[in-house]
């Protein structure tokens, strides 16, 4: 069914299931019988009995349990701003317990890493799980002391 306009640029959508004379009546273009002729049926990833693509392709990859450990990342600039705002005192030991008690990191975090972005002016004492090379250099330069379980 087309619009009766001068240019006939737009055609209307076929109205299915409106009688045999409409061209899409009776079975509404679904053929006869079978699962696909019924309403509300979706056959996801079914390829007509052929082995589906997701079963043909090989399994790849591995999800390490190590990645499930939550690690918080803190920059030296963040630590310096916390010291400047008197949230953390420069003479106290900065460790995971202190950061959790001040709600600076989430309580489900198991370890935290210090990154070297920014500068540290104060001499601080750190007890961290991980420490970047640049952070280590800047902490040594400022005369700070730190305990790191493993450097990476």
């Amino acid at each position: 069914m087309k619009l009766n306009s001068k240019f006939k640029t737009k055609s209307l959508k076929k109205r299915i299931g409106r009688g045999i004379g409409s061209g899409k009546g009776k079975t509404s273009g679904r053929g006869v019988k079978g699962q696909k002729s019924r309403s509300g049926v979706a056959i996801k990833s079914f390829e007509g009995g052929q082995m589906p693509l997701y079963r043909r392709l090989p399994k790849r990859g591995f999800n390490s349990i190590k990645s499930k450990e939550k690690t918080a990342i803190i920059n030296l600039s963040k630590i310096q701003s916390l010291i400047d705002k008197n949230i953390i005192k420069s003479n106290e030991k900065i460790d995971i317990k202190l950061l959790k008690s001040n709600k600076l990191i989430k309580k489900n975090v198991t370890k935290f890493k210090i990154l070297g972005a920014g500068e540290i002016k104060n001499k601080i004492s750190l007890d961290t799980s991980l420490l970047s090379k640049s952070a280590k250099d800047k902490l040594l330069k400022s005369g700070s002391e730190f305990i790191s379980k493993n450097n990476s």
Side-chain angles (χ1 to χ4, degrees):
M1 179 184 220
K2 297 218 187 254
L3 278 174
N4 290 333
S5 68
K6 193 175 180 182
F7 300 105
K8 295 185 181 181
T9 55
K10 198 172 185 183
S11 59
L12 292 172
K13 188 180 132 186
K14 271 252 193 208
R15 295 180 68 212
I16 59 169
R18 296 296 185 280
I20 292 167
S22 69
K24 285 279 184 186
K26 193 182 170 231
T27 53
S28 306
R30 289 175 176 261
V32 285
K33 296 184 182 175
Q35 188 177 13
K36 290 171 98 178
S37 68
R38 316 286 190 236
S39 67
V41 177
I43 309 165
K44 290 182 184 135
S45 72
F46 182 69
E47 298 180 25
Q50 173 179 296
M51 186 63 69
L53 183 69
Y54 70 91
R55 288 183 61 196
R56 273 180 278 163
L57 299 174
K59 288 190 175 118
R60 298 268 320 205
F62 166 73
N63 294 329
S64 175
I65 298 168
K66 217 175 190 186
S67 65
K68 290 178 184 172
E69 289 180 348
K70 301 275 188 239
T71 306
I73 294 170
I74 301 169
N75 279 307
L76 288 175
S77 58
K78 178 76 173 172
I79 293 171
Q80 185 61 51
S81 68
L82 293 169
I83 292 168
D84 293 342
K85 293 175 186 173
N86 291 323
I87 296 169
I88 296 175
K89 292 172 185 70
S90 60
N91 59 356
E92 65 184 338
K93 191 177 192 178
I94 299 167
D95 61 350
I96 200 159
K97 284 182 186 175
L98 178 78
L99 296 171
K100 281 183 183 180
S101 64
N102 288 334
K103 295 183 180 172
L104 300 169
I105 58 174
K106 292 181 180 178
K107 58 184 173 185
N108 65 344
V109 170
T110 53
K111 50 182 154 175
F112 74 102
K113 183 173 184 171
I114 304 292
L115 299 181
E119 291 296 320
I120 192 92
K121 297 172 208 153
N122 303 60
K123 189 177 175 182
I124 58 169
S125 176
L126 265 174
D127 185 8
T128 180
S129 314
L130 303 158
L131 192 65
S132 72
K133 257 186 190 171
S134 58
K136 189 177 182 180
D137 295 340
K138 288 178 182 179
L139 286 167
L140 288 170
K141 195 176 169 184
S142 70
S144 301
E145 55 185 54
F146 54 87
I147 301 165
S148 177
K149 273 80 175 177
N150 52 340
N151 297 332
S152 66

